[in-house]
Amino acid sequence: KVAIIVGASGGIGREISRELFKNGYNQMLLYKTNKVEINRQLKEFNSAEIRAISYPLDQIDEKQIDYLVEMTQQKFGEITDLIFCASGTLNLKPIENVLWSDIQREFEIQVKIAFLLIQKLTPNFKKNRSGSIIFCGSEIINKPKAKWLAYSTVKHALVGMTRSLATELGPFNVRVNAINPSLIETPLTFGFSEREKLKSTADRFLPELASASDVAKLC
């Protein structure tokens, strides 16, 4: 079993990687800037039987996607799973202050990389009649929030991609799903006040924040 994790150095990505190692997966860990965290993960997770390699996500294009896929396959064999949990900064702004570059940056990180990787690996998934693609979305899909325009727009795009791909690839026995968790305690949300966290959990059956580990177990 071989997985590519996009956004592996973040709170959710790190926990997903840990869960996959427990289940015997070799992994390609894709990250944006946090090389220190990735190196720590490589040191923690690598063993004689199961291994991981990493690759930075800066300015990803088709040529880089080809290279990292070929590198992963040469190292571990056929890729069986793709997991997308990359995210930029929340950068919350009222609509008057939002720049197109804010939205475009999120699309580059969360949508473009997913599109290029899935397009590259779909022929093998179809040929093998197996494969798994998982997107980490957000509860914002069902609970809109003011000032979250860029983040919300991209997460809705991922849900649209999930539904379209599930319809197209399902007949080939390729599983495509999205997980839309609530507010989670990760470095991305450390700046939230206790009031904001309490408000986020007020209308739930379980009045507490989910953890990155909770999300990882769903993958």
Side-chain angles (χ1 to χ4, degrees):
K1 295 178 285 189
V2 181
I4 292 178
I5 303 178
V6 182
S9 65
I12 294 176
R14 182 171 60 249
E15 291 301 323
I16 290 174
S17 180
R18 183 174 282 115
E19 284 294 319
L20 292 184
F21 270 110
K22 291 178 184 176
N23 287 280
Y25 277 81
N26 293 307
Q27 298 174 46
M28 165 62 84
L29 306 179
L30 302 183
Y31 66 99
K32 187 180 179 187
T33 57
N34 197 346
K35 190 171 184 178
V36 172
E37 172 57 32
I38 284 293
N39 287 339
R40 190 194 65 76
Q41 287 173 243
L42 294 175
K43 184 177 180 180
E44 175 186 350
F45 297 146
N46 276 336
S47 68
E49 298 81 22
I50 303 167
R51 297 194 62 81
I53 54 179
S54 63
Y55 193 84
L57 286 172
D58 291 340
Q59 298 178 337
I60 282 286
D61 57 22
E62 289 87 344
K63 185 177 292 187
Q64 285 178 298
I65 292 293
D66 290 345
Y67 173 74
L68 72 88
V69 166
E70 289 167 9
M71 179 169 57
T72 305
Q73 291 173 333
Q74 288 173 6
K75 184 77 173 179
F76 302 129
E78 291 278 7
I79 295 161
T80 58
D81 295 70
L82 292 173
I83 301 174
F84 300 95
C85 45
S87 183
T89 58
L90 291 179
N91 197 19
L92 308 183
K93 298 178 180 179
I95 179 61
E96 298 92 336
N97 297 337
V98 175
L99 304 174
W100 171 244
S101 59
D102 296 328
I103 298 176
Q104 187 175 32
R105 182 166 55 250
E106 287 299 320
F107 266 89
E108 290 282 327
I109 294 170
Q110 299 194 52
V111 178
K112 179 182 178 181
I113 294 171
F115 166 73
L116 292 176
L117 272 171
I118 293 167
Q119 191 175 55
K120 175 72 175 178
L121 291 175
T122 289
N124 279 346
F125 282 177
K126 285 183 174 180
K127 181 186 70 175
N128 298 329
R129 298 193 65 80
S130 67
S132 175
I133 301 168
I134 298 177
F135 295 99
C136 286
S138 168
E139 70 170 352
I140 204 166
I141 298 300
N142 299 312
K143 294 178 63 177
K145 303 176 189 291
K147 301 182 182 179
W148 289 60
L149 180 63
Y151 184 86
S152 178
T153 299
V154 172
K155 290 303 185 183
H156 277 81
L158 290 179
V159 169
M161 183 179 285
T162 301
R163 290 172 173 164
S164 179
L165 289 171
T167 302
E168 183 173 347
L169 300 181
F172 296 92
N173 201 36
V174 178
R175 183 172 67 116
V176 187
N177 285 301
I179 300 170
N180 295 321
S182 58
L183 186 66
I184 297 170
E185 288 278 19
T186 70
L188 189 66
T189 60
F190 281 165
F192 281 62
S193 68
E194 287 304 312
R195 180 177 178 276
E196 288 171 314
K197 292 175 181 179
L198 287 171
K199 184 178 179 181
S200 176
T201 60
D203 59 351
R204 298 191 194 136
F205 293 112
L206 296 176
E208 59 184 21
L209 293 183
S211 70
S213 179
D214 295 330
V215 178
K217 288 179 173 61
L218 295 175
C219 293

